Amino acid sequence: MSYRLGVALPGSRSAAAVLDHDGRVVVAVEHETETAESVLDAVLDAARPHGITASKIDHVVFAVTDLRVMDALAAATGYWRGWPGRLAKVAAVRLGAATTSVPPLTLWPPEMRDRVVVASTCLSGGAMLDGSDYEPLDIEGLLAFARQISGTVGAVAITGVFSSVTPRHELAAAEVIREEMGASGAILLSHEYGGLGLVERENATIMQAALTAPVAEEAAKLLTAVNQRGLSRAEVFLARSDGTIATLDNAVTHPLSLLGATDATSVVGAALLSDEQDALVGLTKVDGTVRAVCALTDGRPRMTVGHTKVTGVPTGLSIPALVPIHASVEEAIDRAKDAPGDLPLLLVGPGARTFVQSLSPRIVGTALAGTVRVESPVDAEAAAAVGAAAAPVVGEARRIVPLNSPHLDEIRAAVREAARASAMRAGADPAKVALVCVEEKPLAYLSDPTVMMRVRAGGPPRAGWMSGKAKAAVHAREDAR
Amino acid sequence: MRLNGGCLADFARGCDVLAAGGGGYAAATVPMTQVALDTQGPVDVVDLADLPSDGLVMPCAYLGSPAVWVERIGTGRESIAIRRQVEQHFGAEVVAMMCTEIGGSNGPASVALAANARLPLADADGMGRAFPGIEQVAMQIAGVHPGPSVLADDHDHVVLVQADTGDWLERLARSAVKAFGDTGVSAEYVMTVEQARESVVVGSISRALRIGRVLAGCAGTPVVTAVRRLAAEFSGICLMEGKVNLVSPLRTNAAPRFAANLRSTALLDGINGDDGRCLRVEVGHEYLAILEDGEVRATTPDIITLFDVYSGDVVSTDSLRYGQRVVVLALPCPEVWLQPAGLELVGPRAFGLDLDYHPLAAP
């Protein structure tokens, strides 16, 4: 028997839960602490009477941030909750010389820009919508810039015009810079972040370049906490903004995708605990009030369309679409919906039970305006941890596709394959990866029909490095003790 | 009057209000305008009366696909190449830039294009709001010839299209924009100052700025109060505060005109003081008409704008969705649109509605 352990560290209160391989919650805890160590100890203590020892846990999944982190990052202290402000020094390269109407870093608050970016340049390069060169790639300019920044930066962020059509110039530029600068520092390419919107994609790429090192350091501390508790056989995953998970190594190279993770796993956890795929989820505070409502659709949180600002910088990041309480909970419920039909309202978080108790008995179990019933499922307090433990590993590929291309079928197949590969890189079980969503959205006002193709593929996390007989032997040894 | 970085936010807000739900958000072009004003200095906004009669006025706007423009954000200096070509063609000096469409993202963009071309900006525009069609401008009513069309892209490729009829002009201009890769800047309806005085919507830049300043002055008050204030100051009507109860699926049709190829319907239920009321909103690229109890309350070309009750931002037609709380404002359109030729070009029937223009009416 193998188990998954989920841990949510959203703020002053933390939660943890152990799920068996059928996705049933075996134990769940929720209490006032901010440290991974204490909540891990608490959940392992609670699990022991069920015969669950550390070595039987295959996966440990952390959901480490919520949306408030963005405010913390913007604060003058630069203290990103849990991730102290050791931001890497970044050099920014934009490929697209005729894009100077908004030069790189224009929209950044000066304080943030000064802390993060040491140099930036706008060079000839990039692609047209049809995949041809927007401008020839300026190799000489890249070499000169690489020499200028060599030794002064921790990371380079490269963003090319229409890299979502073809990343050709971003890849070539990375090679030039790597050759000139040697092995030091990370090189991040904007097409991996994906999507449309040059400035937002560039901002996100620079931001991720700055965050990768400190986030990796913090993640290493989580690894230590895990190993110290005898969980060294488990593979560690981190939860992401969309309620999916990725291996720690993979996740830390895309740090922006961690934002909003605890809100997302709260919604995923609510779905699992109440066995609902379509509902509304009320996220509660410890005092029993609802801080926001999020729609649960097909077992996933509804997401914003992007345009999320991080520390005042527009990034195009998509995060859970939380509807804050302006007038009343009923009104927030209504605004969170897509259509007038009533839905179940699932309360999760530390104040879930208090909220439900505060309602008149007449309402509970029947309805609050706009709902078919109000429910606080068992273990609702630890929903964020349950959701983290239960979440799938998902990879995504986005690409702009011209519908009248003679290679349309090949392009579509390649995007599907890229999504599958992305899921496997994120730690999905290669034998179980399947497409979960294929979407083609037409782009408006174009002379030739063109779509933004988005494919998501995913599956359960891969089995740990130790499986089969080796694991059985260890278990036998432990059980004998 | 001068436009500088300090008044840009108010100006952009006014451009959004005048967009009637279309035109693209002004916020999209605010950064490039900020950069242009920072590097080139403030832009003079001038009355047509104060310009030499025989000088040229050059209306300018971005065109093409927003999906391309968010990647190929341009240089903001496309207007320099256009100006050069226009002056060469007409053999006269351009004395002012003019905004083609004050509503939405082309409002701030015209300021950026003027700043980079080092031209003053006429206190005027071609629409007084936003419309989807290139020919839906006051100059068309006044008989100004649209040609030549001068188009430029971000690499200073310039195309001059000369044609006898508007249809050919648009057909040829469209193929030039396609060759650019579906983005560019264009100037049509270039005219003398003397012509412009009789042919454009006057006062649009200062109007947008005034609208933005009224809203800024209402900061901290409920959005519905701010919208009522706008209605009072600009002879409009605050029609209702309501929640969006239904947005029908978007219907596209191969209408002969682009302006009429997109349609949906939304129902709004009154809230707070407006409990029990229900508005029906006909939606195209812009908000086209408002009906209540079988009666018409407002129609295009009057300017119908929806505000989000919580953020105070305008709600564009493509972001309207179930559950939103909105305040509905209708502002009177420029007089030019109320003559028969104007209503034929931009009245309800031009957008496929089987409905006559109806002057703004309070419930």
Side-chain angles (χ1 to χ4, degrees), chain A residues 265-279:
Chain A
T265 60
S266 294
V267 176
V268 173
L272 181 95
L273 291 172
S274 60
D275 200 19
E276 292 281 356
Q277 290 293 296
D278 295 280

Side-chain angles (χ1 to χ4, degrees), chain A residues 134-135 162 201 331 334 447, chain B residues 71 155 182 243 310 322:
Chain A
Y134 176 61
E135 293 160 356
F162 272 128
R201 197 171 64 248
E331 199 233 35
D334 196 44
S447 0
Chain B
E71 285 290 317
H155 287 123
D182 286 313
K243 78 164 233 199
Y310 295 114
Y322 174 84

Side-chain angles (χ1 to χ4, degrees), chain A residues 69-86:
Chain A
V69 201
M70 299 188 197
D71 301 329
L73 187 53
T77 56
Y79 182 75
W80 186 10
R81 206 199 78 75
W83 317 123
R86 303 178 303 264

